[in-house]
Amino acid sequence: MADGGASERGGLEAAVRGGFRVLRERWMRGNRERAVPTHPALPEDAEAVSALQTLPIDVQLNIMSFLSPQDLCSLGSTSSYWRAAVRDPLLWRYFLLRDLPFWTSVDWKSLPDVEIFNKAFSEVSGNALHDYMAVYKKSCPQNRRSLKSSRPRYVTVTSFLQSLVAQTEPRFAMFGPGLEELDDSLVKKMMTCPEILRVAGLPQRQIHGIGSGVTFQFNNNQKFNILTLYSTTSVERRRARAEQAAVVNKMFYQENSIVGNQQSVHYNVIAQVKRVCEVVDGFIYVANAEAHKRHDRREELARILVMTDPALGPPNRPLLVLSCVSHVGVERIPCVYMAHQLQLNLLRQPWMVQDTVAATLDGLLSGIEWLLGEAHYKNAQ
């Protein structure tokens, strides 16, 4: 899977490098087929034409490729000519391939289709183009936040009334290789940064032999509980790190079954972890997003599917994937690639991937805010 991720990134980078050249050639060829002149004809009232509009089409396109999508939309509102020009699907495909590696979050509603990754730029046919402008608007994190649909009014009232009643904080199970493989400990940083996330308590209850985790306070208001599930003991983790050896994940065990004439292997969770899965309100999966390390995403997906299995608890419990690196400066796997590598589209509940840095907790609060919102919305339905 590590090699697959590298080839995926390399393919996109090559597409972006050659994208503008192909884009310009196709646009000019398409304009010739549509009888659009290379130099747009000027109306009688030449003062009504902007200086940009008098330039050759390929020069206009070159200039537009340096604009931000927001500026491009503003340009499109100035005249019917620019409204048509800025909607060109190939231009927006170029923007999408160029910008998506830098987006810091993606969710179950906004993940671009995998075809965007697999089809080379030169294969795009003028007769079979997606509405890449709509894909970009749906996927861009900034646009997603600004267009976030408000909850129905009755839900808002219900949430207010619920806030007046004492209730236990929501509980989330946190697991994943990023808890144990990174050079900086995400959990330790969460416990020691009150200016970012304040510890509100260490409950003493037990869940079938597993500790009750830590209660945090978000924005000095909402309390929530995180139960951290490690795959091994701290002694085993330190030994494995010192010896640079792999450890056996003790949270899961494999079961063999025969389907037809073929033997299949699937994961199950141990009894203690199963009990946790039955009572939590959602899940936090900490993925190792460091590009220089090897990752078995198929195995990770299998374990995610077991933990979030609707048979173990209420359906549609949200999953937050923290796509985590140790510290700023480490080359990371972008969150959109991470979502596709983990095949999160196979999940049946709401999910979001959020870029996170363990050493600084960058991105963590955005992910927690989404998780709390989804958990409250689910409970209010």
Side-chain angles (χ1 to χ4, degrees):
M1 290 302 291
D3 295 338
S7 62
E8 183 179 79
R9 293 195 301 277
L12 277 175
E13 290 167 359
V16 173
R17 285 195 301 270
F20 178 72
R21 176 182 54 79
V22 178
L23 171 59
R24 181 174 58 191
E25 292 173 356
R26 286 185 175 274
W27 186 330
M28 295 186 67
R29 183 168 66 249
N31 283 338
R32 286 194 296 270
E33 293 171 354
R34 295 189 296 268
V36 176
T38 304
H39 288 273
L42 301 183
E44 295 182 0
D45 183 7
E47 293 181 356
V49 180
S50 67
L52 180 60
Q53 191 173 332
T54 64
L55 297 174
I57 290 292
D58 60 331
V59 177
Q60 294 178 21
L61 180 58
N62 191 21
I63 293 173
M64 284 191 287
S65 70
F66 289 99
L67 298 178
S68 69
Q70 293 79 7
D71 292 337
L72 202 64
C73 291
S74 298
L75 177 63
S77 65
T78 60
S79 70
S80 57
Y81 174 87
W82 290 116
R83 183 164 57 252
V86 303
R87 294 188 64 87
D88 189 283
L90 287 174
L91 181 63
W92 283 95
R93 188 175 192 273
Y94 171 78
F95 281 139
L96 185 64
L97 292 178
R98 183 196 67 185
D99 294 348
L100 65 83
F102 303 100
W103 290 341
T104 58
S105 66
V106 68
D107 64 19
W108 59 301
K109 295 180 180 179
S110 62
L111 181 66
D113 190 83
V114 72
E115 183 180 348
I116 293 172
F117 299 87
N118 293 336
K119 180 177 288 187
F121 203 99
S122 58
E123 295 176 8
V124 177
S125 169
N127 297 323
L129 286 175
H130 296 286
D131 186 351
Y132 289 104
M133 183 177 181
V135 174
Y136 190 103
K137 288 183 175 181
K138 184 184 75 169
S139 305
C140 178
Q142 293 83 356
N143 201 58
R144 239 176 37 236
R145 285 191 290 268
S146 64
L147 297 180
K148 185 178 180 181
S149 59
S150 60
R151 304 302 188 192
R153 188 177 300 274
Y154 74 88
V155 173
T156 303
V157 174
T158 302
S159 299
F160 172 73
L161 294 177
Q162 287 178 339
S163 69
L164 302 179
V165 181
Q167 52 184 320
T168 58
E169 67 270 10
R171 288 182 290 185
F172 306 109
M174 182 162 69
F175 66 107
L179 291 175
E180 306 170 21
E181 297 175 354
L182 300 178
D183 296 332
D184 291 270
S185 170
L186 177 67
V187 175
K188 183 182 296 184
K189 193 67 177 181
M190 291 170 62
M191 295 286 292
T192 57
C193 280
E195 68 278 7
I196 298 177
L197 195 62
R198 190 167 73 85
V199 175
L202 299 172
Q204 298 303 311
R205 61 181 181 267
Q206 292 279 314
I207 302 176
H208 200 69
I210 292 180
S212 55
V214 180
T215 295
F216 296 94
Q217 192 161 335
F218 180 74
N219 285 344
N220 295 321
N221 182 19
Q222 173 66 58
K223 291 183 178 181
F224 63 96
N225 183 261
I226 291 182
L227 295 89
T228 304
L229 302 175
Y230 290 105
S231 66
T232 58
T233 66
S234 59
V235 173
E236 291 170 327
R237 291 195 299 274
R238 285 195 297 269
R239 182 186 302 118
R241 184 179 294 273
E243 299 175 356
Q244 296 184 348
V247 296
V248 177
N249 193 319
K250 296 182 178 180
M251 289 173 50
F252 304 90
Y253 61 92
Q254 293 183 345
E255 291 183 336
N256 298 326
S257 60
I258 297 178
V259 179
N261 295 325
Q262 294 184 341
Q263 183 176 2
S264 63
V265 179
H266 65 276
Y267 282 102
N268 209 335
V269 292
I270 61 175
Q272 297 93 321
V273 174
K274 181 178 180 181
R275 178 57 182 153
V276 170
C277 293
E278 292 172 347
V279 300
V280 296
D281 300 287
F283 302 89
I284 302 174
Y285 184 77
V286 185
N288 185 341
E290 295 185 344
H292 65 280
K293 296 183 179 178
R294 295 190 62 85
H295 313 284
D296 189 343
R297 302 301 187 196
R298 292 183 181 178
E299 186 173 272
E300 291 184 55
L301 171 64
R303 292 171 175 171
I304 290 174
L305 290 173
V306 170
M307 291 286 288
T308 60
D309 189 343
L312 298 183
N316 296 325
R317 289 179 293 178
L319 169 71
L320 169 64
V321 176
L322 297 178
S323 186
C324 201
V325 296
S326 296
H327 50 83
V328 177
V330 175
E331 183 183 358
R332 68 159 59 249
I333 299 170
C335 65
V336 175
Y337 303 172
M338 179 66 73
H340 278 292
Q341 289 180 14
L342 290 174
Q343 301 182 66
L344 297 180
N345 58 305
L346 298 179
L347 301 183
R348 289 172 285 184
Q349 67 260 62
W351 56 263
M352 184 176 84
V353 181
Q354 173 66 53
D355 282 351
T356 311
V357 180
T360 62
L361 298 185
D362 287 350
L364 176 66
L365 293 187
S366 296
I368 294 297
E369 181 180 19
W370 174 87
L371 186 62
L372 290 173
E374 288 293 327
H376 284 309
Y377 180 57
K378 174 182 174 297
N379 292 334
Q381 287 181 312

